[in-house]
Amino acid sequence: MKSRKWLFPVFLLLYHSAFAFIAWQYNLANPSDAYRYWHFEGNWIDFFSIGTDVIKLINYPFVKLLNLPFWMGFLMYSLIGYYAILELYRFAQSYVNPQHNIFKYALMGVFLLPNLHFWTAIIGKEPLVFLAITWIIIKQTEKQYTNFKYSVGWILLILIRPHVALFLLLAIGITLLIKDSQLTRKKIGIAIGLAVCSLGLYLMTMQLLNRNPFDLAYILERNNASLIAFKRANSYVPMIDYNWIERIFALNFRPLFFDVNSFFSLVLSVENVLTLLLILSAVIVYIVRYKTIKLDTFARVALLFFVVSSLFFIHRYSCLGIFVRTKMMYLPFLLLVVIQIIKQSGNAYKV
């Protein structure tokens, strides 16, 4: 059996490559951000900034100096995305440690989610961001704070998406603060460091959005304007009319079958139903067996990252297309926790 452990990673590479081909073909017919990240004008020095320009800065030597074709960009970024998925899969194998076939297949299923593969196989922020988040969470769990991957992960995430870095920092910081109820100098130091770093990332985010960081009324006003602006999108969702629970559900579990208007939305609906059922199963298991279920560092970080990210994005986005692109940054980590919770319950019942 051990000699066959290479089979799934190889299949995963072929599976991921298929999504890279689909994404490439889709962008040839429907030029989107990926097309603009590879076809742009300007000098290298023009892109020394944070946010979108970082991708153009990275792409510059391949596009302007080497004149690599568009498909080569998809090949490069899809390999980065595959590597990120493989890194998380290897960690998940030891973290979940599935002994029963049910959990082995469930774990494989998480790493075959179409939405994850599509967005990590495209030219743009997503493959690099997912790799950065994967490195950070894994090394945080392993307490390897001086590790090369941990450092580079933070640098990439801060430069490309400072607001996501803020959400992940808050998730990690809160996890460390609630680890035990005892107040210590170390915990006070963590709280101060968390406050300072969070403020810095908040200011970076507001600068990127061209907002006055201290005018909260204006920020909230612009958030509402952002929700309304998505009315022009084909997959608009009236988030501004929803309550918080409806917003969180829409962000993380739509499109569903009543939203279907294409083959792609049908595939996403199936994925979302399966994801929803898996999460609901874990919630029920945790409620029934909460005394025996242990939430470790990875579980707490993943859960808090999901909560913090969701609470922010529901005030900014109101389009199904953006939803599916956004949640792939945090949902795969949550699903690993979900499988682990269900597995712990099985162990408690000696299944």
Side-chain angles (χ1 to χ4, degrees):
M1 183 63 72
K2 289 184 179 180
S3 62
R4 296 182 180 179
K5 286 186 176 181
W6 57 271
L7 284 176
F8 186 69
V10 170
F11 173 77
L12 205 59
L13 176 59
L14 298 174
Y15 183 77
H16 189 74
S17 299
F19 279 91
F21 180 80
I22 292 170
W24 171 51
Q25 289 296 305
Y26 179 85
N27 273 271
L28 287 177
N30 307 276
S32 62
D33 289 346
Y35 187 88
R36 290 185 284 274
Y37 286 140
W38 203 258
H39 300 88
F40 56 86
E41 298 300 327
N43 296 317
W44 199 355
I45 196 170
D46 297 333
F47 307 117
F48 277 85
S49 182
I50 60 175
T52 299
D53 284 346
V54 173
I55 305 302
K56 293 180 179 179
L57 179 68
I58 293 171
N59 290 348
Y60 190 91
F62 303 107
V63 174
K64 300 299 183 181
L65 302 181
L66 298 177
N67 294 313
L68 297 182
F70 192 39
W71 66 265
M72 185 65 75
F74 276 90
L75 177 61
M76 291 164 51
Y77 276 85
S78 66
L79 289 176
I80 293 172
Y82 169 73
Y83 173 68
I85 292 171
L86 189 61
E87 284 272 271
L88 186 59
Y89 175 72
R90 287 170 174 166
F91 170 80
Q93 285 286 77
S94 60
Y95 176 69
V96 176
N97 190 23
Q99 301 297 324
H100 196 284
N101 282 339
I102 292 177
F103 299 111
K104 290 179 182 178
Y105 295 141
L107 196 60
M108 289 180 182
V110 169
F111 288 93
L112 293 176
L113 293 177
N115 190 51
L116 172 63
H117 284 274
F118 182 84
W119 291 111
T120 56
I122 201 167
I123 299 172
K125 301 175 184 178
E126 284 73 19
L128 293 171
V129 166
F130 188 72
L131 176 62
I133 294 171
T134 298
W135 276 347
I136 293 168
I137 293 181
I138 290 177
K139 296 308 173 184
Q140 181 71 41
T141 303
E142 296 173 348
K143 297 182 179 180
Q144 296 184 24
Y145 310 126
T146 59
N147 183 273
F148 173 79
K149 292 179 180 179
Y150 187 75
S151 302
V152 173
W154 276 117
I155 292 171
L156 278 175
L157 192 57
I158 290 170
L159 289 177
I160 299 173
R161 281 192 169 146
H163 59 290
V164 177
L166 173 60
F167 306 155
L168 185 52
L169 178 66
L170 288 173
I172 291 173
I174 295 171
T175 296
L176 295 175
L177 291 175
I178 65 175
K179 193 171 183 180
D180 58 72
S181 58
Q182 191 175 12
L183 183 64
T184 62
R185 289 184 179 179
K186 181 180 179 180
K187 186 173 286 190
I188 293 173
I190 291 173
I192 294 172
L194 175 63
V196 171
C197 293
S198 297
L199 177 61
L201 289 171
Y202 170 73
L203 294 175
M204 285 181 66
T205 301
M206 291 300 104
Q207 182 183 18
L208 189 62
L209 294 173
N210 195 25
R211 303 277 189 272
N212 180 347
F214 306 108
D215 191 344
L216 297 182
Y218 179 72
I219 292 172
L220 294 175
E221 179 184 317
R222 297 311 304 165
N223 284 347
N224 287 335
S226 174
L227 294 178
I228 296 172
F230 279 102
K231 279 187 175 181
R232 292 171 291 182
N234 293 330
S235 56
Y236 171 71
V237 177
M239 295 284 273
I240 199 165
D241 299 325
Y242 289 175
N243 60 42
W244 282 30
I245 295 176
E246 290 173 320
R247 289 186 182 190
I248 290 174
F249 181 88
L251 170 66
N252 292 296
F253 305 111
R254 287 181 62 185
L256 289 174
F257 294 110
F258 55 82
D259 298 306
V260 171
N261 56 14
S262 67
F263 174 74
F264 293 109
S265 57
L266 175 62
V267 171
L268 289 170
S269 294
V270 173
E271 176 180 321
N272 286 336
V273 167
L274 295 175
T275 299
L276 179 59
L277 291 175
L278 192 59
I279 291 175
L280 286 177
S281 299
V283 170
I284 293 171
V285 164
Y286 187 80
I287 291 173
V288 174
R289 304 289 300 177
Y290 73 94
K291 290 184 178 179
T292 59
I293 301 296
K294 305 297 182 183
L295 297 180
D296 56 15
T297 297
F298 179 85
R300 291 178 179 179
V301 170
L303 284 166
L304 285 168
F305 188 37
F306 165 78
V307 171
V308 174
S309 298
S310 295
L311 290 176
F312 172 84
F313 289 127
I314 61 174
H315 295 290
R316 290 288 301 171
Y317 302 142
S318 55
C319 169
L320 294 178
I322 300 295
F323 290 171
V324 298
R325 185 174 184 170
T326 298
K327 67 183 181 181
M328 55 77 56
M329 291 186 290
Y330 54 79
L331 203 56
F333 304 97
L334 178 66
L335 293 179
L336 297 186
V337 176
V338 163
I339 295 174
Q340 175 68 346
I341 288 174
I342 297 173
K343 185 197 169 201
Q344 285 189 55
S345 174
N347 290 340
Y349 282 111
K350 299 185 184 300
V351 173

